[in-house]
Amino acid sequence: MADNKTKKEKSPVVLFVAEEKEPLLSKKNRKLLSDPLDDNNPITVQVLGICSALAITVQLKPAVVMAIAVMAVMAFANVIVSLIRNLIPNRIRIIVQLVVVAALVILVDQVLKAFAYDVSKELSVFVGLIITNCIVMGRLEAFALGNGVWKSFLDGIGNAAGYGLILIIVAFFRELLGSGKLYGYEVLGHKGVTLAESTGLYALGYENNGLMLLSPAALLVVGVLIWVQRSRNRKLIEKN
Amino acid sequence: MKRDSNAYTFIFAAIMVLVVASALAIAATSLQPMQNENVRKEKMQNILMTIGIEVDREGAEEKFNEYIVEQIALTSEGEVDESVDAFKVDLAKELKKPVDQQRFPLYVAEVDSEKYYIIPLRGAGLWDAIWGYISLKDDINTIKGAVFDHKGETPGLGAEITQSWFEERFAEEKIMNDNGEFAGVSVVKGYSGGNAKDDNAVDAISGATITGDGVTDMISDRLRYYLPYLQKQNVEVALK
């Protein structure tokens, strides 16, 4: 990779370089997609993007929408930065990445407001929060700056999927245990004001766990997830 | 030019800023009319929802013109200001003015020959602005319905004020206490009144105390300015 970079520095105007003669979904490229789901998960292994994982996992619906929005922004940001990676001056590369991400997020926000007003209301502040998501910047810096367009695209999709997967799992448990619902539907029965008005589990005296609605609960769930993942996937355990 | 030279860095930054800024400016201005249209129709939808009429965004304008018979702007003394278009009054801007310069928009609806007064609300939640509409029956005491919305409350907690199960708690509540004085409707933590409709209070949402207090304040702060006008109307009706 280092050789590749110095060689290309001589012709900084070349945007597309036919560097890979491999099939679009070769084994290596498939790994870019599958690695972040488990072995190299952004949240449970790299511990990136924890902030938003705490904030928006109270319910499944925002978690799903956020996962999709992050996927769109990451794929595009990775592609754009990868396209101009040989033009970006080294000393202001972080600023350039930030501008690309921020511009994309504002664009997504504006388009949603015009064409998908309800989705944009659902996301509210979280569209803006995508900018602060460490995974986006982390992948731009670590991958898109040194890799081709297609690979960067796959890396963006893969990491956003790994992030989204954890988000959805955490939101599943928090919404189920915290408010007895899944995707807004009352799966455990209806909780009335009195016991007699309740149905399902609530009629038996079941109570929702209010702790699951608060941010610390997300940390607990993520912690349990990391535990489960490591006991299943032994190579993630540190040697010493 | 070398990629790490100062001149290249400056030129790159300048071009990047120009490209990104013009792209965003073009996107924002070209999408603006559609966005404004969405906001306008949503306002109509919300106003209609307080009197129990649910319409989709496309049909909002037609139904609005059908049911809303009067749109008036009031002064803080309860006089009608004919020079102001009530629908265009922006509460966010009005709230910054001194009370005697503010204009208070009021919508009068007639459904099945029942008269309803719809009052726009605006206040502060935990993170940002909250707003809504509340409709009174023509006894100027009983609430017909309420709709709330917010800019940035926490999903699953404060943002739940937009849910119909919370809004429904306000229906049939009274804004006057037993002595006939204005009391508003309080969102109460640890509410024990069940479904009582005559205690000027509704049950709060767990984990959303500050947003709930915001709703309480918003109702009492805004409604009081409408009472002089509304009670005058009521007396006139009674005299007929």
Side-chain angles (χ1 to χ4, degrees), chain B residues 72-79 86 89 91 94-95 102-108 117-122 132-134 136 140 175-176 182 218-234:
Chain B
I72 41 182
L74 303 174
T75 65
S76 56
E77 266 90 51
E79 304 296 324
V89 172
L91 275 189
E94 294 297 305
L95 280 171
Q102 286 186 30
R103 289 296 172 267
F104 299 85
L106 174 70
Y107 305 91
V108 185
Y117 297 97
I118 303 157
I119 296 163
L121 309 168
R122 193 176 174 96
Y133 299 87
I134 201 159
L136 297 176
I140 323 292
I175 59 167
M176 305 292 181
F182 176 64
M218 169 166 93
I219 292 173
S220 75
D221 287 353
R222 299 303 299 175
L223 248 48
R224 67 174 74 250
Y225 294 112
Y226 289 88
L227 290 176
Y229 175 81
L230 290 176
Q231 277 159 351
K232 209 162 60 189
Q233 295 297 105
N234 211 18

Side-chain angles (χ1 to χ4, degrees), chain A residues 47-152:
Chain A
V47 202
L48 289 174
I50 288 285
C51 358
S52 51
L54 298 186
I56 56 153
T57 49
V58 180
Q59 289 169 329
L60 261 177
K61 202 171 174 191
V64 170
V65 184
M66 179 71 167
I68 295 169
V70 167
M71 194 175 278
V73 169
M74 275 190 78
F76 280 117
N78 261 5
V79 164
I80 292 173
V81 168
S82 174
L83 273 175
I84 59 170
R85 69 187 186 279
N86 297 321
L87 297 172
I88 300 174
N90 207 27
R91 274 177 295 176
I92 58 165
R93 67 180 194 285
I94 302 277
I95 299 173
V96 174
Q97 292 163 16
L98 208 64
V99 169
V100 169
V101 177
L104 272 176
V105 168
I106 296 170
L107 215 55
V108 167
D109 191 33
Q110 295 288 329
V111 170
L112 283 181
K113 267 189 195 146
F115 297 107
Y117 191 65
D118 297 305
V119 178
S120 116
K121 289 198 59 106
E122 193 69 40
L123 279 173
S124 62
V125 289
F126 300 118
V127 179
L129 278 183
I130 297 175
I131 305 175
T132 64
N133 193 322
C134 319
I135 304 173
V136 182
M137 289 285 289
R139 292 325 290 173
L140 291 179
E141 177 74 9
F143 197 90
L145 270 184
N147 285 284
V149 175
W150 174 243
K151 278 197 156 87
S152 302

Side-chain angles (χ1 to χ4, degrees), chain A:
Chain A
M1 201 172 83
D3 287 347
N4 212 359
K5 228 175 174 175
T6 43
K7 201 170 72 198
K8 261 183 253 147
E9 250 176 9
K10 285 170 196 156
S11 54
V13 270
V14 180
L15 287 181
F16 289 94
V17 185
E19 42 195 326
E20 304 116 38
K21 283 276 187 285
E22 49 181 302
L24 281 181
L25 282 175
S26 65
K27 202 175 171 200
K28 238 163 82 190
N29 284 349
R30 277 206 305 274
K31 233 180 140 43
L32 287 176
L33 279 176
S34 63
D35 240 20
L37 289 180
D38 187 5
D39 289 358
N40 208 3
N41 190 286
I43 295 184
T44 59
V45 180
Q46 298 176 34
V47 202
L48 289 174
I50 288 285
C51 358
S52 51
L54 298 186
I56 56 153
T57 49
V58 180
Q59 289 169 329
L60 261 177
K61 202 171 174 191
V64 170
V65 184
M66 179 71 167
I68 295 169
V70 167
M71 194 175 278
V73 169
M74 275 190 78
F76 280 117
N78 261 5
V79 164
I80 292 173
V81 168
S82 174
L83 273 175
I84 59 170
R85 69 187 186 279
N86 297 321
L87 297 172
I88 300 174
N90 207 27
R91 274 177 295 176
I92 58 165
R93 67 180 194 285
I94 302 277
I95 299 173
V96 174
Q97 292 163 16
L98 208 64
V99 169
V100 169
V101 177
L104 272 176
V105 168
I106 296 170
L107 215 55
V108 167
D109 191 33
Q110 295 288 329
V111 170
L112 283 181
K113 267 189 195 146
F115 297 107
Y117 191 65
D118 297 305
V119 178
S120 116
K121 289 198 59 106
E122 193 69 40
L123 279 173
S124 62
V125 289
F126 300 118
V127 179
L129 278 183
I130 297 175
I131 305 175
T132 64
N133 193 322
C134 319
I135 304 173
V136 182
M137 289 285 289
R139 292 325 290 173
L140 291 179
E141 177 74 9
F143 197 90
L145 270 184
N147 285 284
V149 175
W150 174 243
K151 278 197 156 87
S152 302
F153 176 75
L154 291 180
D155 182 76
I157 298 278
N159 274 281
Y163 165 79
L165 180 72
I166 300 296
L167 224 59
I168 289 165
I169 295 176
V170 175
F172 175 85
F173 286 111
R174 285 183 73 187
E175 190 176 358
L176 183 67
L177 299 175
S179 37
K181 294 178 190 169
L182 282 179
Y183 220 83
Y185 296 104
E186 295 175 320
V187 288
L188 299 183
H190 178 73
K191 185 169 170 28
V193 181
T194 60
L195 204 62
E197 290 174 28
S198 308
T199 58
L201 267 183
Y202 296 106
L204 305 172
Y206 172 81
E207 285 286 335
N208 288 324
N209 185 346
L211 174 67
M212 295 307 282
L213 293 176
L214 305 174
S215 300
L219 276 185
L220 297 177
V221 179
V222 170
V224 172
L225 275 181
I226 293 178
W227 177 26
V228 171
Q229 190 190 12
R230 289 188 172 211
S231 61
R232 201 175 52 84
N233 192 344
R234 292 264 156 199
K235 66 175 177 258
L236 291 176
I237 300 171
E238 288 86 357
K239 286 287 172 299
N240 42 1

Side-chain angles (χ1 to χ4, degrees), chain B residues 3-238:
Chain B
R3 190 150 66 125
D4 282 329
S5 70
N6 285 346
Y8 180 82
T9 306
F10 273 115
I11 293 169
F12 184 93
I15 294 175
M16 176 185 71
V17 169
L18 269 178
V19 170
V20 170
S22 39
L24 288 183
I26 292 168
T29 40
S30 57
L31 295 174
Q32 188 99 56
M34 279 177 267
Q35 294 172 355
N36 289 346
E37 191 64 13
N38 281 337
V39 172
R40 205 172 69 89
K41 287 196 175 144
E42 193 203 20
K43 185 172 176 180
M44 293 178 170
Q45 271 182 307
N46 282 339
I47 291 173
L48 288 177
M49 214 190 288
T50 60
I51 50 171
I53 295 166
E54 286 202 36
V55 283
D56 58 2
R57 193 156 294 129
E58 275 63 47
E61 186 143 23
E62 191 190 324
K63 291 278 176 198
F64 186 82
N65 293 333
E66 185 184 335
Y67 289 114
I68 304 298
V69 290
E70 238 183 313
Q71 305 179 32
I72 41 182
L74 303 174
T75 65
S76 56
E77 266 90 51
E79 304 296 324
V80 179
D81 183 350
E82 302 277 358
S83 64
V84 178
D85 180 355
F87 195 80
K88 291 207 177 111
V89 172
D90 183 356
L91 275 189
K93 285 183 192 143
E94 294 297 305
L95 280 171
K96 293 195 181 107
K97 297 180 192 168
V99 170
D100 54 340
Q101 285 171 29
Q102 286 186 30
R103 289 296 172 267
F104 299 85
L106 174 70
Y107 305 91
V108 185
E110 240 179 65
V111 184
D112 302 332
S113 62
E114 293 274 335
K115 208 168 189 182
Y116 301 110
Y117 297 97
I118 303 157
I119 296 163
L121 309 168
R122 193 176 174 96
L126 171 59
W127 303 116
D128 214 316
I130 54 175
W131 60 89
Y133 299 87
I134 201 159
S135 62
L136 297 176
K137 295 185 178 173
D138 61 2
D139 61 353
I140 323 292
N141 187 4
T142 317
I143 293 173
K144 163 77 176 160
V147 170
F148 301 112
D149 208 343
H150 67 100
K151 188 168 177 202
E153 300 307 295
T154 321
L157 302 174
E160 297 286 279
I161 58 166
T162 63
Q163 300 288 320
S164 53
W165 53 258
F166 180 70
E167 290 164 355
E168 277 159 14
R169 288 177 189 170
F170 287 84
E172 303 300 323
E173 285 285 342
K174 305 276 188 283
I175 59 167
M176 305 292 181
N177 64 16
D178 293 340
N179 302 325
E181 292 155 350
F182 176 64
V185 179
S186 300
V187 178
V188 179
K189 206 157 82 164
Y191 181 68
S192 55
N195 279 325
K197 292 294 183 192
D198 51 2
D199 53 1
N200 305 111
V202 296
D203 192 12
I205 303 168
S206 319
T209 308
I210 296 176
T211 311
D213 289 348
V215 172
T216 306
D217 293 346
M218 169 166 93
I219 292 173
S220 75
D221 287 353
R222 299 303 299 175
L223 248 48
R224 67 174 74 250
Y225 294 112
Y226 289 88
L227 290 176
Y229 175 81
L230 290 176
Q231 277 159 351
K232 209 162 60 189
Q233 295 297 105
N234 211 18
V235 170
E236 277 169 26
V237 171

